[in-house]
Amino acid sequence: MISLLGIPLDANSSHLRGCAAAPSAMREALHSGSGNHVTEATIDVVAQIDDLGDVDLSNEVGSNADADAITEAVAHELRRGRRVLSVGGDHSVTYPILRAFRDHVDAPLTVVHIDAHPDLYDDLDGNPLSHASPFARALEDGCMARLVQLGIRTATAHQREQAARWGVEMYGARELGRFDPSSLSSPIYVSVDLDGLDPSVAPGVSHHEPGGMTYRELLDVIDALPGPIVGADVVELNPSRDLVGMTAMVAAKTVKELAGAILRS
């Protein structure tokens, strides 16, 4: 069984807020009558997802208490023997999630990160828990053995220095053909920032960055991952920026396909 956790946090966002409303928008799309509950491989994954609702958070900027609450909520499910699929919220939620996996998964993680941005800032605007910094914090805290980033197209000089410091493998949206999924070691954690997709596919995000991945490219990456996939998150859906629920449906399908990959693996 997969535990689904909503994480309604957007206090650590730069530029815009709105991602705290994402878990409810994703759930509405997931159960919408316009679709159904099966993956492209015809697995009824929703029947195998236990939706635990949202983590109770203050949604305050830089809150260590919120980060700790996220870590404990994920750790609780891992202690129960569950695999955990989380829905943000901004990307700052990934760092406390990965702390829980570090402490409750036997082998070091390989993290596959889909995004327009590397999210490796030492801090942004003085906030070390910024949504632009989760992977810097996670690498500092030894939450993974390997970080592979796909779709990146906004890497600043500072973030490239950070990537070199930590040995991060970064592939731009034009370089996906260089990514070799068979080289990945298990266990694998997948973090999908919806702005890794082109805005024509996912307009409902806070940071539009043209030139991104197609949705089929994202599905191909998920399908190609070897197992076991021990957990995943889908983040940065901003319903206030969405068009006719389009990005919420993309988020919901991504949740289904990631759940299918977790079950397959």
Side-chain angles (χ1 to χ4, degrees):
M1 184 67 72
I2 296 172
S3 293
L4 180 68
L5 285 175
I7 308 181
L9 178 70
D10 61 7
N12 295 313
S13 296
S14 61
H15 182 53
L16 293 174
R17 289 197 180 187
C19 294
S24 60
M26 187 283 303
R27 288 187 179 96
E28 182 178 354
L30 184 64
H31 299 294
S32 168
S34 72
N36 59 44
H37 289 170
V38 303
T39 67
E40 293 192 355
T42 69
I43 303 169
D44 186 348
V45 292
V46 175
Q48 301 180 72
I49 291 175
D50 183 11
D51 188 349
L52 302 177
D54 293 348
V55 181
D56 186 18
L57 302 171
S58 69
N59 202 23
E60 296 179 358
V61 177
S63 171
N64 286 306
D66 279 354
D68 291 345
I70 295 167
T71 299
E72 177 51 34
V74 175
H76 180 267
E77 297 310 304
L78 294 176
R79 288 193 294 267
R80 296 174 66 200
R82 295 286 187 89
R83 286 163 285 186
V84 182
L85 211 168
S86 304
V87 182
D90 66 39
H91 217 154
S92 69
V93 306
T94 301
Y95 163 52
I97 291 170
L98 289 175
R99 288 192 309 195
F101 276 89
R102 175 198 63 192
D103 296 338
H104 293 88
V105 174
D106 291 339
L109 286 180
T110 292
V111 175
V112 177
H113 167 211
I114 291 92
D115 205 327
H117 316 92
D119 292 349
L120 287 166
Y121 280 104
D122 188 53
D123 67 66
L124 188 68
D125 300 327
N127 180 9
L129 294 180
S130 166
H131 74 156
S133 303
F135 294 100
R137 300 289 82 75
L139 286 161
E140 287 172 352
D141 277 5
C143 295
M144 68 196 79
R146 183 179 180 188
L147 175 59
V148 180
Q149 301 184 318
L150 306 176
I152 306 300
R153 49 198 189 277
T154 64
T156 63
H158 168 67
Q159 292 192 93
R160 290 193 177 279
E161 290 171 1
Q162 292 279 83
R165 172 188 176 191
W166 295 109
V168 176
E169 300 161 60
M170 188 184 297
Y171 298 92
R174 290 181 172 178
E175 302 172 312
L176 298 178
R178 293 175 47 215
F179 169 56
D180 179 12
S182 68
S183 72
L184 300 180
S185 300
S186 58
I188 296 169
Y189 183 92
V190 184
S191 181
V192 178
D193 185 323
L194 292 167
D195 67 33
L197 297 165
D198 192 78
S200 61
V201 177
V205 296
S206 298
H207 299 264
H208 292 156
E209 189 61 44
M213 295 168 66
T214 69
Y215 194 62
R216 182 54 53 188
E217 287 174 328
L218 173 58
L219 292 180
D220 287 346
V221 168
I222 293 171
D223 288 345
L225 296 176
I229 300 171
V230 295
D233 62 62
V234 179
V235 299
E236 295 288 349
L237 168 63
N238 188 339
S240 68
R241 301 265 280 174
D242 208 358
L243 300 175
V244 297
M246 176 179 172
T247 315
M249 290 298 291
V250 167
K253 183 175 175 69
T254 304
V255 165
K256 289 193 299 184
E257 296 299 329
L258 284 168
I262 290 169
L263 292 168
R264 178 194 72 227
S265 68

